[in-house]
Amino acid sequence: MGSLSNMQTRVSVFALFFILSVFTSFQSAYSQDLESELEKGDSLFKERKFTQSLEVYESIYENTGLATPAMLLKMAYSQEAMGNLSNALIYLHDYYKMSSDKKVLEKMNELAQVNGLQGYETNDFQQFVKVVNDYKVLITTVLLAFALLILSMIFRKIKKHQEKSPGLAAGLVLVLALIVFFVNFAGPKDMAIITGDDSYVMSGPSAAAELVEVIGQGHKVEVVSKNDIWYQIKWRGETAYIRENNLKELL
C-alpha cells in the first residue's frame, strides 16, 4: 500500500513537472514570436514603409494588448505621416499613460494648436490627478502601514505609562482621513477622441435632435455617459451627444 502511494506521488510530481515544462516552452515560443514580429515592424519602419510597419504593430497591440513606448511612438508617427490625426493622438495618449513623458503632452498640444483642436489644455492639477491615480495603491498601502505604526505606539504608551497621547491620536486621525481621501479619490475623467471627419454633434441622443455643430477628427472630449449608440459628451462647456462610431474612448 505504501509503495502504491509513493508511486502515485512520483506520478503526480512527474505530471506537474511535465505541465510546467510545456507551459514554459509555450511561453518561450510565444515570446520569441512576439519579438520576431516586433523586429519585423521595426525593420519596415526604418525603411519608411509606414503602412506595412503599422499593420504589424497594430496586430501586436490588438492581439496581445502589449506595446513598448518606442512602438507606440512609431505608431503615432506613422499615423500622423499618413494624415490620420485622431489615431496619432490616441497612440500618443497611450504612450503618455505608459511613460508619463511630459514632452508628449507638448507634442499633443502642438498638434492641437496647429489643427485647431479642442480639449488638450493641461494644467498642474491634471498632472497631480494623474500622479495620484498612478500611485494610488502604493500611497494607500504606505498610509495604512503608517496608521498601524501610530496605533501600536498609542497602545504601547497606554500599556507602559498608563497615559494617553493627544499628539499621536491627532496624527492617527489625520492619516486615516488621508486614507479615506485616497481610497475615494476620483481619477481622471473619462475621455474620448473624435475619429470621424464630419461628426455630427447633436443636442439630444437622436438623429432628429437639433444639430449643434459638425466637427472634424482629433478633438478630445469628456464622456459623461453612454446611451445605446449615443455618447453624452461635454462640448464647448455644454452637454451634447455624438454617435459611438464617431469617437474612441481613451483607456
Side-chain angles (χ1 to χ4, degrees):
M1 191 71 178
S3 60
L4 180 61
S5 177
N6 290 336
M7 183 181 294
Q8 289 175 338
T9 301
R10 286 197 294 271
V11 170
S12 298
V13 171
F14 175 79
L16 178 61
F17 274 111
F18 176 77
I19 292 170
L20 286 173
S21 63
V22 170
F23 178 77
T24 303
S25 300
F26 175 78
Q27 286 289 94
S28 177
Y30 178 77
S31 298
Q32 289 175 358
D33 289 342
L34 189 61
E35 186 175 342
S36 175
E37 283 296 293
L38 191 56
E39 288 177 355
K40 177 183 176 182
D42 291 342
S43 177
L44 290 167
F45 184 86
K46 288 179 181 178
E47 296 172 9
R48 302 186 68 81
K49 296 179 180 179
F50 299 132
T51 303
Q52 295 95 319
S53 66
L54 189 60
E55 288 176 357
V56 175
Y57 290 144
E58 287 186 333
S59 176
I60 294 172
Y61 201 22
E62 290 173 6
N63 293 330
T64 68
L66 301 174
T68 63
M71 183 178 118
L72 289 170
L73 280 181
K74 290 172 184 175
M75 292 167 76
Y77 181 89
S78 299
Q79 292 285 10
E80 184 183 359
M82 292 187 294
N84 299 326
L85 184 60
S86 58
N87 288 337
L89 288 164
I90 288 169
Y91 291 133
L92 286 174
H93 166 83
D94 291 349
Y95 170 80
Y96 175 66
K97 188 172 180 181
M98 183 182 293
S99 68
S100 298
D101 184 355
K102 290 185 179 180
K103 289 183 179 178
V104 80
L105 290 181
E106 296 174 5
K107 174 63 176 177
M108 294 171 76
N109 288 333
E110 178 187 323
L111 287 173
Q113 289 176 8
V114 170
N115 295 279
L117 303 178
Q118 300 285 323
Y120 290 89
E121 303 79 11
T122 57
N123 53 48
D124 292 338
F125 178 73
Q126 290 172 330
Q127 295 291 318
F128 170 75
V129 169
K130 184 183 185 305
V131 170
V132 171
N133 195 64
D134 288 345
Y135 297 98
K136 184 176 179 178
V137 175
L138 176 61
I139 293 171
T140 305
T141 302
V142 170
L143 287 173
L144 279 170
F146 196 43
L148 289 173
L149 177 62
I150 295 174
L151 193 61
S152 67
M153 291 171 66
I154 290 173
F155 280 125
R156 187 167 56 185
K157 196 161 188 178
I158 291 173
K159 186 176 181 180
K160 284 188 174 182
H161 305 287
Q162 297 296 315
E163 62 180 36
K164 297 178 180 179
S165 177
L168 287 175
L172 180 62
V173 170
L174 177 60
V175 172
L176 290 175
L178 286 172
I179 291 171
V180 172
F181 170 77
F182 283 110
V183 167
N184 295 284
F185 185 82
K189 297 175 182 178
D190 294 331
M191 306 297 290
I193 286 181
I194 305 299
T195 55
D197 285 321
D198 295 301
S199 302
Y200 286 65
V201 180
M202 313 298 290
S203 61
S206 168
E210 181 182 351
L211 176 65
V212 175
E213 191 174 344
V214 180
I215 61 176
Q217 62 167 294
H219 296 285
K220 186 162 70 171
V221 296
E222 179 187 341
V223 174
V224 179
S225 63
K226 187 176 185 295
N227 179 16
D228 195 20
I229 63 170
W230 293 92
Y231 275 92
Q232 185 182 26
I233 63 171
K234 288 287 186 180
W235 177 249
R236 300 190 189 279
E238 302 291 334
T239 298
Y241 294 83
I242 190 169
R243 284 181 178 269
E244 65 177 348
N245 60 336
N246 285 322
L247 84 173
K248 182 173 181 178
E249 287 192 83
L250 296 173
L251 300 176

